[in-house]
Amino acid sequence: MSNQKKTALVLGATGLIGKELVKIISENEQYEKIHLLVRRSIEINNERCKTHIVNFDELHKYSALFQVDDVYCCLGTTIKKAKTKEAFRRVDYEYPIEAAKLAKDNGVETFLIVSAMGADVNSRFFYNRVKGEVEDSLKKMDLPSLHIFRPSLLLGNRDEFRLGEKIAEKASSFLNFIMIGPLLPYKGIHAQKVAEAMANIAQANKRGAAIYLSHEIDKMTTN
Ligand SMILES: NC(=O)c1ccc[n+]([C@@H]2O[C@H](COP(=O)([O-])OP(=O)(O)OC[C@H]3O[C@@H](n4cnc5c(N)ncnc54)[C@H](OP(=O)(O)O)[C@@H]3O)[C@@H](O)[C@H]2O)c1
């Protein structure tokens, strides 16, 4: 691995995966500067991290911040929080695509994004369809290095309470022992593992596009 220092930009740094990711990469000596694009103020005590409060509807205004090596996109919302399908799509499709365009314009080497298990443009479920659409659009952009992570149910401590996810988390802990063979991709995965896998693959300097399923993400980490 080269000793040359890298720079990164993170979208979604305040989320379950995003927070874990920032913890991991801010301790990585490889990075000399990490820009965090957020919509509200946050406290980060690391001199390599710089927080920028931005209006995500006007990401193009922050194009200069995309002059980095790696862009990590951990953005996402839920239909419940977004209230409308249109608002959901804005966060889960439009913002990531705009970020990828800015990344490409600025010569970013590696773009990493959290999608979801079941992402499929032909899905009858809106959520999976939007995830499939964002993946497809990203693949068509021909980015030098594109890494798409498709975790199953995310495990970890959220600031907010999500009943559906809590029930699924409990069920998953009971059913973990039968999650083998073809069921492996459905096994819940800790947000920290997803973050670690993203950070690891960004250091691998792989070219082209790749998709990682949940059980593959699991294998990409040491913990
Ligand atoms: N939950 C699961 O079980 C699951 C499973 C598979 C895949 N995923 C996907 O994994 C990704 C990350 O999930 P997560 O649970 O870590 O997400 P999360 O905790 O909900 O965090 C989402 C991030 O997106 C930001 N965000 C949301 N709405 C925004 C808006 N309108 N403008 C700007 N920023 C906005 C949030 O900022 P604020 O903190 O300011 O709200 C936060 O930083 C998502 O794409 C999700 O769909 C989730």
Side-chain angles (χ1 to χ4, degrees):
M1 197 181 287
S2 119
N3 283 332
Q4 201 169 347
K5 299 271 184 192
K6 299 211 292 178
T7 51
L9 179 146
V10 181
L11 303 122
T14 51
L16 190 62
I17 293 179
K19 272 193 215 161
E20 297 291 347
L21 178 78
V22 172
K23 260 189 248 164
I24 295 167
I25 63 174
S26 62
E27 282 165 16
N28 185 335
E29 293 294 327
Q30 276 275 307
Y31 288 113
E32 61 180 354
K33 188 96 213 153
I34 303 164
H35 296 291
L36 311 178
L37 268 57
V38 291
R39 59 174 171 169
R40 58 190 170 89
S41 81
I42 51 167
E43 208 176 309
I44 299 270
N45 294 317
N46 187 301
E47 58 183 26
R48 285 200 294 255
C49 292
K50 181 149 178 40
T51 304
H52 307 266
I53 299 178
V54 306
N55 176 354
F56 281 75
D57 289 322
E58 297 181 331
L59 271 184
H60 59 277
K61 290 192 176 165
Y62 313 95
S63 176
L65 296 176
F66 284 74
Q67 287 168 17
V68 292
D69 298 290
D70 305 330
V71 170
Y72 294 90
C73 182
C74 310
L75 285 173
T77 188
T78 58
I79 299 280
K80 194 173 168 198
K81 276 172 92 173
K83 308 258 192 304
T84 63
K85 285 184 173 179
E86 189 192 10
F88 174 88
R89 202 170 191 282
R90 201 174 307 133
V91 179
D92 280 68
Y93 180 88
E94 286 169 25
Y95 295 164
I97 294 302
E98 181 63 18
K101 281 184 192 153
L102 294 170
K104 189 163 183 188
D105 290 350
N106 281 288
V108 166
E109 271 300 309
T110 310
F111 190 90
L112 308 100
I113 184 167
V114 188
S115 174
M117 181 177 75
D120 180 359
V121 278
N122 297 313
S123 173
R124 48 195 184 97
F125 301 110
F126 176 73
Y127 176 88
N128 291 354
R129 219 164 46 238
V130 173
K131 294 296 191 188
E133 285 168 12
V134 78
E135 288 189 6
D136 271 21
S137 297
L138 287 171
K139 282 189 260 178
K140 285 180 189 145
M141 288 173 74
D142 211 14
L143 297 153
S145 175
L146 170 67
H147 300 281
I148 298 171
F149 294 77
R150 282 191 190 167
S152 55
L153 174 72
L154 291 178
L155 309 174
N157 292 324
R158 283 191 187 280
D159 298 338
E160 68 185 283
F161 183 71
R162 293 185 185 173
L163 180 64
E165 285 181 16
K166 273 289 156 216
I167 294 170
E169 190 175 331
K170 284 268 178 258
S172 140
S173 65
F174 278 122
L175 297 172
N176 250 354
F177 70 97
I178 61 156
M179 295 291 191
I180 51 173
L183 292 180
L184 259 184
Y186 298 91
K187 196 173 167 183
I189 185 162
H190 272 276
Q192 192 196 343
K193 281 197 167 241
V194 182
E196 199 185 322
M198 293 176 90
N200 286 348
I201 208 75
Q203 310 316 317
N205 298 324
K206 285 191 178 170
R207 309 287 292 180
I211 294 179
Y212 310 100
L213 306 183
S214 228
H215 61 298
E216 294 167 337
I217 299 171
D218 198 29
K219 284 195 204 138
M220 291 158 76
T221 63
T222 47
N223 296 316

